[in-house]
Amino acid sequence: DDLKTAITYRGDPNPKFAAEAEALFVWRSGVWTTAYQILEQVRSGQRELPTEAEALAFLPEIAL
């Protein structure tokens, strides 16, 4: 029903569920890492605040 629930399937006995959960876990981490990098660059004046479309384009793609 949501990302938090999906991630609880990490280590599930069903290999498909476990693999999807791990991929979502890694993706979520990548999204937050990228978002904080962009925020720091904006705060330090290295870049302008991106538009919503630009910000979404910077985020990692999910690999399920």
Side-chain angles (χ1 to χ4, degrees), residues 23-24 26-28 30-31 34 56-64:
L24 289 166
V26 170
W27 174 78
R28 180 184 68 175
V31 166
T34 302
L56 290 174
F58 293 132
L59 299 180
E61 292 187 26
I62 191 161
L64 290 177

Side-chain angles (χ1 to χ4, degrees), residues 10-31:
R10 290 174 70 206
D12 193 87
N14 181 312
K16 181 179 180 348
F17 297 163
E20 288 175 352
E22 186 64 29
L24 289 166
F25 177 79
V26 170
W27 174 78
R28 180 184 68 175
S29 180
V31 166

